[in-house]
Amino acid sequence: MSAERAAALAAQFKAVADPNRLRLISIISASEGAEACVCDLIEPLDLGQPTVSHHLKVLVDAGILRREKRGVWAYFSLVPGALDNLAGVLAEPK
Amino acid sequence: MSAERAAALAAQFKAVADPNRLRLISIISASEGAEACVCDLIEPLDLGQPTVSHHLKVLVDAGILRREKRGVWAYFSLVPGALDNLAGVLAEPK
């Protein structure tokens, strides 16, 4: 693994390596269409909206989630392939 | 995902979320028997032995690698299932 690839992957793993962000990913993955409104992400985490928005922004900036504004709410979905790419890095030899 | 499980997983992802530790995991995974002597891990990373040993200890403490002393050298191998468990958390809905 090249140093450049290791650095890029480490940045994405850092974005994932937080309990609240793991829970956000888990909720969004399990939502219908793998998409969730920010309005549905506040209550399950028991955090304030600014904190939830911060964690979502970290995941968007890392290329793991994408954000789409529709009406008054922002919707978050998985960037296709991003998590699969990270999972592939962790694949154990069979 | 419960808060407790999220915290435990985040701790393991934090251990992985470092370029040098990702490279160590990559080298050990690709080694014969998925095991490598610390003596074979120094040169590819171009770091000093104390730094490599520190990164290996972080991965051992996180339950991702196990360490076995044989003769004068320590050997490191993957804890079976540990990386697969993390990869499973990142599985995208199909």
Side-chain angles (χ1 to χ4, degrees), chain A residues 19-20 22-23 26-27 44, chain B residues 1-10:
Chain A
N20 288 311
L22 282 170
R23 297 179 81 193
S26 167
I27 296 167
Chain B
M1 183 185 290
S2 72
E4 292 71 24
R5 178 165 150 77
L9 289 168

Side-chain angles (χ1 to χ4, degrees), chain A residues 36-87:
Chain A
C37 171
V38 66
C39 56
D40 293 324
L41 296 169
I42 312 265
E43 199 183 300
L45 263 71
D46 202 22
L47 296 171
Q49 172 158 3
T51 304
V52 172
S53 292
H54 160 74
H55 286 305
L56 288 166
K57 183 177 186 308
V58 171
L59 291 168
V60 170
D61 290 347
I64 289 166
L65 294 184
R66 60 183 171 194
R67 177 184 188 278
E68 194 189 338
K69 189 106 190 273
R70 291 206 297 272
V72 294
W73 293 110
Y75 289 77
F76 292 87
S77 57
L78 299 179
V79 171
L83 290 181
D84 279 348
N85 183 46
L86 291 184

Side-chain angles (χ1 to χ4, degrees), chain A residues 6-19:
Chain A
L9 289 169
Q12 287 198 306
F13 277 116
K14 278 198 182 90
V16 167
D18 173 274

Side-chain angles (χ1 to χ4, degrees), chain A residues 1-3 6-7 9-10 13-14 16-19 22-23 26 29 34 78-84 86-87 89-94, chain B residues 1-3 6-7 9-10 13-14 16-19 22-23 26 29 34 78-84 86-87 89-94:
Chain A
M1 183 185 290
S2 72
L9 289 169
F13 277 116
K14 278 198 182 90
V16 167
D18 173 274
L22 282 170
R23 297 179 81 193
S26 167
S29 292
L78 299 179
V79 171
L83 290 181
D84 279 348
L86 291 184
V89 171
L90 302 177
E92 296 177 22
K94 301 297 178 223
Chain B
M1 183 185 290
S2 72
L9 289 168
F13 277 116
K14 278 197 183 90
V16 167
D18 174 274
L22 281 169
R23 297 179 81 193
S26 167
S29 293
L78 299 178
V79 171
L83 291 181
D84 278 348
L86 291 184
V89 171
L90 302 178
E92 297 177 20
K94 302 296 176 225

